[in-house]
Amino acid sequence: MKNTLQIAIDGPAGAGKSSVAKVLAKRLNCIYLDTGAMYRAVTWLAMQQQVPFDDLTGMDQLLKNLQLEFREEDGVQHLYCNGMDVTEAIRSTEVSANVSAVAMIPLVREAMVAQQQKIAADCDVLMDGRDIGTTVLPDARYKFFLTASLEERARRRYLELQQKGVSVDLEQLQRDIALRDQKDSQREVSPLVQAPDAELIDTSHMTFDEVVEKLFHKIAK
Ligand code: CDP
C-alpha cells in the first residue's frame, strides 16, 4: 500500500460535511469521495428495480452488477450508477427516507467499504460519511467529526433544498433528519459514532468559510 494522505470527515446529516469536504479537497489537491452518495445510489437502484431491501439474494445480485463511477463535469462531481447520471435523483426525499435502511445491511456496507478502501490505497483522499474514521480509514492521518444542533442542521438542509427549487416543510425535514440520525447511530454495523481519535467540531455557530479555514489550517500545519 502506498503512503497516501487520508482525511476522514464524519458526522450526522446536514452538518455541512460534503460542502466543506468538496472545497477542502480541491485546496488540498486530493480526491473527494462522497460515501453517502454511494449508499444513496444503491438505495436508488434498489427502488428503481423494485428489489425489496430485505431480499438479500436480490440485493446481493444488485451489488454484483453495480457500477459506480464519480466523474468531474464542468467542475461538478457527478455520480454514474450503471451508466446513468444519478447525481440529482439520489437527493430525492424518497431516497433520503430509505437510505438508512439500506445502509444498515451488512452486505451493502461490505461492498461499499471495499470500494472505498481500494480508492484510498492508490490516491490521496478526503472522504466524508458516517464510518470513515472508525471503519473505512481507521489509520487516517486526520479525522474530524463535524456536528451542529439539530435545528441548525435542518435549517441548512432546508435552505439547500429551497435553492434547488424543492419545497419542503422545515419541521418535517427536522423530524426526517432526527429519524435518520437515530437509525444511523443505532445500527449494529459501523454505526455513526465519533472515532476516539477524531476531533469534534461543532459548527452550529460557525460560517461555512470558518469551518473550511479551521480544517485547512489543522491539516496544512
Ligand atoms: O448528506 P446527508 O448528510 O444527508 O447524508 P449522506 O452523507 O448523503 O448519507 C446518506 C446516508 O447514507 C446516511 O444517512 C447513512 O445512512 C448512509 N451512510 C453510511 O451509512 N455510511 C457512510 N459512510 C455514508 C453514508
Side-chain angles (χ1 to χ4, degrees):
M1 191 163 161
K2 290 185 202 159
N3 187 19
T4 57
L5 173 66
Q6 300 182 342
I7 304 167
I9 304 185
D10 290 300
K17 298 181 301 293
S18 56
S19 339
V20 167
K22 269 179 215 157
V23 174
L24 208 55
K26 276 221 167 81
R27 278 178 72 175
L28 295 165
N29 200 19
C30 56
I31 286 183
Y32 164 54
L33 195 68
D34 179 351
T35 65
M38 298 171 72
Y39 290 95
R40 286 175 177 273
V42 175
T43 309
W44 175 83
L45 192 63
M47 290 166 72
Q48 182 86 359
Q49 297 187 351
Q50 300 185 342
V51 178
F53 305 148
D54 58 359
D55 170 6
L56 293 187
T57 313
M59 288 302 287
D60 189 37
Q61 201 56 40
L62 181 143
L63 288 167
K64 287 204 170 103
N65 296 319
L66 178 71
Q67 269 218 329
L68 291 179
E69 195 194 338
F70 287 98
R71 276 189 225 161
E72 186 96 358
E73 291 173 3
D74 300 325
V76 179
Q77 201 175 68
H78 285 245
L79 178 58
Y80 283 79
C81 175
N82 293 356
M84 288 167 283
D85 185 349
V86 297
T87 316
E88 288 301 321
I90 59 169
R91 305 284 156 196
S92 73
T93 317
E94 292 76 22
V95 170
S96 298
N98 287 296
V99 62
S100 292
V102 172
M104 64 175 70
I105 306 170
L107 207 65
V108 172
R109 300 209 70 82
E110 273 165 37
M112 295 301 104
V113 170
Q115 289 199 17
Q116 292 155 9
Q117 289 177 332
K118 200 166 159 223
I119 295 170
D122 296 325
C123 324
D124 291 344
V125 286
L126 189 161
M127 290 191 196
D128 77 333
R130 304 294 186 283
D131 61 339
I132 310 302
T134 52
T135 307
V136 183
L137 306 175
D139 299 324
R141 204 179 309 167
Y142 301 97
K143 295 183 186 180
F144 301 100
F145 194 84
L146 248 58
T147 184
S149 67
L150 175 62
E151 291 74 19
E152 179 59 20
R153 292 188 285 118
R155 194 185 69 86
R156 289 179 191 168
R157 189 49 57 91
Y158 178 77
L159 293 176
E160 199 178 306
L161 288 168
Q162 256 197 341
Q163 268 185 356
K164 282 191 195 165
V166 182
S167 74
V168 283
D169 177 69
L170 179 59
E171 284 180 13
Q172 183 58 47
L173 190 61
Q174 189 167 318
R175 282 194 293 274
D176 292 348
I177 289 180
L179 187 65
R180 190 142 62 89
D181 287 349
Q182 193 192 12
K183 284 188 195 158
D184 290 345
S185 309
Q186 292 178 353
R187 69 176 175 227
E188 274 180 35
V189 189
S190 308
L192 165 66
V193 65
Q194 183 185 342
D197 53 348
E199 183 170 348
L200 176 70
I201 297 182
D202 186 340
T203 70
S204 303
H205 304 292
M206 292 171 79
T207 64
F208 172 75
D209 289 342
E210 283 170 347
V211 182
V212 173
E213 284 310 312
K214 184 164 185 156
L215 268 56
F216 180 75
H217 286 293
K218 282 183 184 292
I219 298 165
K221 199 173 65 175

